[in-house]
Amino acid sequence: GDLKHRRPPISHNSNEMSSITLKTVVFLGSARNITPPWGGDSRLGDRVLNWVKTTLASRKESLGSDTIQHDITIVDPLEVFAEGGALSGFTGGELRAPVFFMKPDDTPEATKQLQAKIQAADCYLIVSPEYNHSIPPALSSVMGHFGGSNYKCKPSGIVTYSPGPFAGMRAAMAIQVMCHELGCLPVSKICGLPSPNDMLEADGTPKDGEHRMLNQLPELLTQLEWMAVAMKNQREKTGLF
């Protein structure tokens, strides 16, 4: 054939890496702020949350030709329900006023800002204990204040913990159902930490960096990042369904 009309071969340079920063919202499930009579942390989840934050902040994993990083927003019920918080005054932990029932002119600016963060997220992480072997009311209230349209077409990951040996797994099963209904589909890998005070310092530093239970989070994040990039690409290509 005529060589003039042949296309030159496409060159793929494997060394060319681009960076993708995922907007990651982390919901903390516990609003506990009292030390039990037998002692210990006022909120055991702070250790777990600190470990999750440090892991996310330091994470730079390769996904194909991309490097994945995280821009992290923490949603803490102790803050959002406190005086002046995004879900205080007009509503509260008992969910008197879902945000999607509110007129824009009646919605506080702090609430709009929180909603914007949730809506703009590429993925979600839920860090939660279990209350009565189910979802803590603070978690279902915070997430339930915002309609499913804010969460849809994005993935979520679940990290649970408990002071006992079951690592909050019964809550994880219930949180999966809630996330499905909100539209932020949970990845299959779950991270569960039994007795996190034995594994983590108060600032989230692992007491034993080789502890096998700590391998769960990186494995979960690998799944979450894959799904977050895939769903982000599809949202940008076709919009939401």
Side-chain angles (χ1 to χ4, degrees), residues 23-42:
K23 297 176 182 176
T24 304
V25 171
V26 181
F27 290 97
L28 185 57
S30 174
R32 201 181 81 182
N33 65 350
I34 184 171
T35 302
W38 53 86
D41 297 349
S42 60

PDB file of all heavy atoms in Angstrom, residues 23-42:
ATOM      1  N   LYS A  23     -11.751  13.679  45.997  1.00  0.00           N
ATOM      2  CA  LYS A  23     -12.382  14.373  47.118  1.00  0.00           C
ATOM      3  C   LYS A  23     -13.062  13.319  47.981  1.00  0.00           C
ATOM      4  O   LYS A  23     -14.053  12.718  47.568  1.00  0.00           O
ATOM      5  CB  LYS A  23     -13.385  15.406  46.608  1.00  0.00           C
ATOM      6  CG  LYS A  23     -12.741  16.516  45.793  1.00  0.00           C
ATOM      7  CD  LYS A  23     -13.793  17.459  45.235  1.00  0.00           C
ATOM      8  CE  LYS A  23     -13.153  18.553  44.385  1.00  0.00           C
ATOM      9  NZ  LYS A  23     -14.178  19.427  43.754  1.00  0.00           N
ATOM     10  N   THR A  24     -12.497  13.111  49.150  1.00  0.00           N
ATOM     11  CA  THR A  24     -12.918  12.011  50.019  1.00  0.00           C
ATOM     12  C   THR A  24     -13.523  12.559  51.307  1.00  0.00           C
ATOM     13  O   THR A  24     -12.843  13.247  52.069  1.00  0.00           O
ATOM     14  CB  THR A  24     -11.720  11.102  50.340  1.00  0.00           C
ATOM     15  OG1 THR A  24     -11.137  10.644  49.110  1.00  0.00           O
ATOM     16  CG2 THR A  24     -12.140   9.915  51.184  1.00  0.00           C
ATOM     17  N   VAL A  25     -14.801  12.260  51.533  1.00  0.00           N
ATOM     18  CA  VAL A  25     -15.476  12.687  52.757  1.00  0.00           C
ATOM     19  C   VAL A  25     -15.501  11.515  53.724  1.00  0.00           C
ATOM     20  O   VAL A  25     -15.946  10.415  53.379  1.00  0.00           O
ATOM     21  CB  VAL A  25     -16.912  13.178  52.465  1.00  0.00           C
ATOM     22  CG1 VAL A  25     -17.677  13.414  53.769  1.00  0.00           C
ATOM     23  CG2 VAL A  25     -16.867  14.467  51.654  1.00  0.00           C
ATOM     24  N   VAL A  26     -15.019  11.756  54.939  1.00  0.00           N
ATOM     25  CA  VAL A  26     -14.977  10.736  55.985  1.00  0.00           C
ATOM     26  C   VAL A  26     -16.025  11.075  57.036  1.00  0.00           C
ATOM     27  O   VAL A  26     -15.968  12.138  57.668  1.00  0.00           O
ATOM     28  CB  VAL A  26     -13.581  10.649  56.630  1.00  0.00           C
ATOM     29  CG1 VAL A  26     -13.557   9.555  57.693  1.00  0.00           C
ATOM     30  CG2 VAL A  26     -12.506  10.406  55.578  1.00  0.00           C
ATOM     31  N   PHE A  27     -16.989  10.180  57.208  1.00  0.00           N
ATOM     32  CA  PHE A  27     -18.018  10.348  58.234  1.00  0.00           C
ATOM     33  C   PHE A  27     -17.621   9.548  59.472  1.00  0.00           C
ATOM     34  O   PHE A  27     -17.380   8.339  59.388  1.00  0.00           O
ATOM     35  CB  PHE A  27     -19.377   9.829  57.745  1.00  0.00           C
ATOM     36  CG  PHE A  27     -20.010  10.660  56.658  1.00  0.00           C
ATOM     37  CD1 PHE A  27     -19.867  10.300  55.331  1.00  0.00           C
ATOM     38  CD2 PHE A  27     -20.752  11.789  56.976  1.00  0.00           C
ATOM     39  CE1 PHE A  27     -20.459  11.049  54.323  1.00  0.00           C
ATOM     40  CE2 PHE A  27     -21.339  12.546  55.971  1.00  0.00           C
ATOM     41  CZ  PHE A  27     -21.196  12.173  54.646  1.00  0.00           C
ATOM     42  N   LEU A  28     -17.577  10.220  60.618  1.00  0.00           N
ATOM     43  CA  LEU A  28     -17.349   9.529  61.881  1.00  0.00           C
ATOM     44  C   LEU A  28     -18.701   9.189  62.493  1.00  0.00           C
ATOM     45  O   LEU A  28     -19.598  10.043  62.550  1.00  0.00           O
ATOM     46  CB  LEU A  28     -16.535  10.406  62.831  1.00  0.00           C
ATOM     47  CG  LEU A  28     -16.116   9.771  64.165  1.00  0.00           C
ATOM     48  CD1 LEU A  28     -15.305   8.500  63.938  1.00  0.00           C
ATOM     49  CD2 LEU A  28     -15.304  10.765  64.996  1.00  0.00           C
ATOM     50  N   GLY A  29     -18.865   7.952  62.930  1.00  0.00           N
ATOM     51  CA  GLY A  29     -20.177   7.490  63.369  1.00  0.00           C
ATOM     52  C   GLY A  29     -20.511   7.753  64.823  1.00  0.00           C
ATOM     53  O   GLY A  29     -21.674   7.666  65.213  1.00  0.00           O
ATOM     54  N   SER A  30     -19.533   8.068  65.639  1.00  0.00           N
ATOM     55  CA  SER A  30     -19.763   8.192  67.080  1.00  0.00           C
ATOM     56  C   SER A  30     -19.809   9.648  67.524  1.00  0.00           C
ATOM     57  O   SER A  30     -18.978  10.458  67.116  1.00  0.00           O
ATOM     58  CB  SER A  30     -18.646   7.481  67.854  1.00  0.00           C
ATOM     59  OG  SER A  30     -18.777   7.710  69.246  1.00  0.00           O
ATOM     60  N   ALA A  31     -20.808   9.954  68.367  1.00  0.00           N
ATOM     61  CA  ALA A  31     -20.886  11.273  68.995  1.00  0.00           C
ATOM     62  C   ALA A  31     -20.640  11.170  70.500  1.00  0.00           C
ATOM     63  O   ALA A  31     -20.956  12.095  71.243  1.00  0.00           O
ATOM     64  CB  ALA A  31     -22.254  11.905  68.738  1.00  0.00           C
ATOM     65  N   ARG A  32     -20.066  10.072  70.928  1.00  0.00           N
ATOM     66  CA  ARG A  32     -19.850   9.878  72.368  1.00  0.00           C
ATOM     67  C   ARG A  32     -18.767  10.824  72.871  1.00  0.00           C
ATOM     68  O   ARG A  32     -17.734  11.007  72.215  1.00  0.00           O
ATOM     69  CB  ARG A  32     -19.435   8.428  72.643  1.00  0.00           C
ATOM     70  CG  ARG A  32     -19.692   8.014  74.088  1.00  0.00           C
ATOM     71  CD  ARG A  32     -19.253   6.594  74.327  1.00  0.00           C
ATOM     72  NE  ARG A  32     -17.806   6.513  74.548  1.00  0.00           N
ATOM     73  CZ  ARG A  32     -17.159   5.386  74.751  1.00  0.00           C
ATOM     74  NH1 ARG A  32     -17.792   4.230  74.727  1.00  0.00           N
ATOM     75  NH2 ARG A  32     -15.854   5.392  74.965  1.00  0.00           N
ATOM     76  N   ASN A  33     -18.994  11.431  74.022  1.00  0.00           N
ATOM     77  CA  ASN A  33     -17.991  12.325  74.609  1.00  0.00           C
ATOM     78  C   ASN A  33     -17.944  12.190  76.130  1.00  0.00           C
ATOM     79  O   ASN A  33     -17.766  13.166  76.845  1.00  0.00           O
ATOM     80  CB  ASN A  33     -18.247  13.780  74.197  1.00  0.00           C
ATOM     81  CG  ASN A  33     -19.554  14.322  74.745  1.00  0.00           C
ATOM     82  OD1 ASN A  33     -20.377  13.574  75.278  1.00  0.00           O
ATOM     83  ND2 ASN A  33     -19.767  15.629  74.635  1.00  0.00           N
ATOM     84  N   ILE A  34     -18.088  10.963  76.597  1.00  0.00           N
ATOM     85  CA  ILE A  34     -18.046  10.715  78.034  1.00  0.00           C
ATOM     86  C   ILE A  34     -17.205   9.471  78.300  1.00  0.00           C
ATOM     87  O   ILE A  34     -17.291   8.487  77.564  1.00  0.00           O
ATOM     88  CB  ILE A  34     -19.478  10.537  78.613  1.00  0.00           C
ATOM     89  CG1 ILE A  34     -19.435  10.365  80.123  1.00  0.00           C
ATOM     90  CG2 ILE A  34     -20.203   9.373  77.928  1.00  0.00           C
ATOM     91  CD1 ILE A  34     -20.802  10.398  80.779  1.00  0.00           C
ATOM     92  N   THR A  35     -16.364   9.546  79.311  1.00  0.00           N
ATOM     93  CA  THR A  35     -15.531   8.408  79.681  1.00  0.00           C
ATOM     94  C   THR A  35     -16.367   7.429  80.504  1.00  0.00           C
ATOM     95  O   THR A  35     -17.023   7.832  81.465  1.00  0.00           O
ATOM     96  CB  THR A  35     -14.314   8.863  80.506  1.00  0.00           C
ATOM     97  OG1 THR A  35     -13.571   9.818  79.742  1.00  0.00           O
ATOM     98  CG2 THR A  35     -13.424   7.686  80.856  1.00  0.00           C
ATOM     99  N   PRO A  36     -16.377   6.158  80.154  1.00  0.00           N
ATOM    100  CA  PRO A  36     -17.166   5.186  80.922  1.00  0.00           C
ATOM    101  C   PRO A  36     -16.613   5.013  82.335  1.00  0.00           C
ATOM    102  O   PRO A  36     -15.435   5.313  82.595  1.00  0.00           O
ATOM    103  CB  PRO A  36     -17.032   3.899  80.107  1.00  0.00           C
ATOM    104  CG  PRO A  36     -15.805   4.081  79.273  1.00  0.00           C
ATOM    105  CD  PRO A  36     -15.686   5.545  79.005  1.00  0.00           C
ATOM    106  N   PRO A  37     -17.447   4.541  83.262  1.00  0.00           N
ATOM    107  CA  PRO A  37     -16.999   4.390  84.658  1.00  0.00           C
ATOM    108  C   PRO A  37     -15.776   3.506  84.818  1.00  0.00           C
ATOM    109  O   PRO A  37     -15.006   3.677  85.757  1.00  0.00           O
ATOM    110  CB  PRO A  37     -18.223   3.766  85.347  1.00  0.00           C
ATOM    111  CG  PRO A  37     -19.389   4.130  84.489  1.00  0.00           C
ATOM    112  CD  PRO A  37     -18.860   4.185  83.093  1.00  0.00           C
ATOM    113  N   TRP A  38     -15.600   2.555  83.900  1.00  0.00           N
ATOM    114  CA  TRP A  38     -14.454   1.649  84.001  1.00  0.00           C
ATOM    115  C   TRP A  38     -13.193   2.196  83.352  1.00  0.00           C
ATOM    116  O   TRP A  38     -12.166   1.542  83.306  1.00  0.00           O
ATOM    117  CB  TRP A  38     -14.812   0.296  83.388  1.00  0.00           C
ATOM    118  CG  TRP A  38     -15.359   0.390  81.995  1.00  0.00           C
ATOM    119  CD1 TRP A  38     -14.674   0.433  80.825  1.00  0.00           C
ATOM    120  CD2 TRP A  38     -16.745   0.483  81.649  1.00  0.00           C
ATOM    121  NE1 TRP A  38     -15.519   0.539  79.754  1.00  0.00           N
ATOM    122  CE2 TRP A  38     -16.807   0.566  80.227  1.00  0.00           C
ATOM    123  CE3 TRP A  38     -17.938   0.507  82.361  1.00  0.00           C
ATOM    124  CZ2 TRP A  38     -18.014   0.668  79.537  1.00  0.00           C
ATOM    125  CZ3 TRP A  38     -19.134   0.599  81.676  1.00  0.00           C
ATOM    126  CH2 TRP A  38     -19.171   0.681  80.278  1.00  0.00           C
ATOM    127  N   GLY A  39     -13.284   3.433  82.826  1.00  0.00           N
ATOM    128  CA  GLY A  39     -12.114   4.080  82.257  1.00  0.00           C
ATOM    129  C   GLY A  39     -11.998   3.868  80.759  1.00  0.00           C
ATOM    130  O   GLY A  39     -12.871   3.312  80.109  1.00  0.00           O
ATOM    131  N   GLY A  40     -10.929   4.369  80.204  1.00  0.00           N
ATOM    132  CA  GLY A  40     -10.696   4.255  78.766  1.00  0.00           C
ATOM    133  C   GLY A  40     -10.956   5.568  78.055  1.00  0.00           C
ATOM    134  O   GLY A  40     -11.099   6.623  78.680  1.00  0.00           O
ATOM    135  N   ASP A  41     -11.010   5.512  76.744  1.00  0.00           N
ATOM    136  CA  ASP A  41     -11.201   6.705  75.927  1.00  0.00           C
ATOM    137  C   ASP A  41     -12.633   7.219  76.037  1.00  0.00           C
ATOM    138  O   ASP A  41     -13.577   6.441  76.155  1.00  0.00           O
ATOM    139  CB  ASP A  41     -10.914   6.399  74.452  1.00  0.00           C
ATOM    140  CG  ASP A  41      -9.475   5.981  74.194  1.00  0.00           C
ATOM    141  OD1 ASP A  41      -8.651   6.120  75.117  1.00  0.00           O
ATOM    142  OD2 ASP A  41      -9.181   5.527  73.074  1.00  0.00           O
ATOM    143  N   SER A  42     -12.786   8.534  75.958  1.00  0.00           N
ATOM    144  CA  SER A  42     -14.133   9.089  75.878  1.00  0.00           C
ATOM    145  C   SER A  42     -14.773   8.768  74.536  1.00  0.00           C
ATOM    146  O   SER A  42     -15.992   8.649  74.425  1.00  0.00           O
ATOM    147  CB  SER A  42     -14.111  10.608  76.102  1.00  0.00           C
ATOM    148  OG  SER A  42     -13.317  11.248  75.118  1.00  0.00           O
TER     149      SER A  42
END
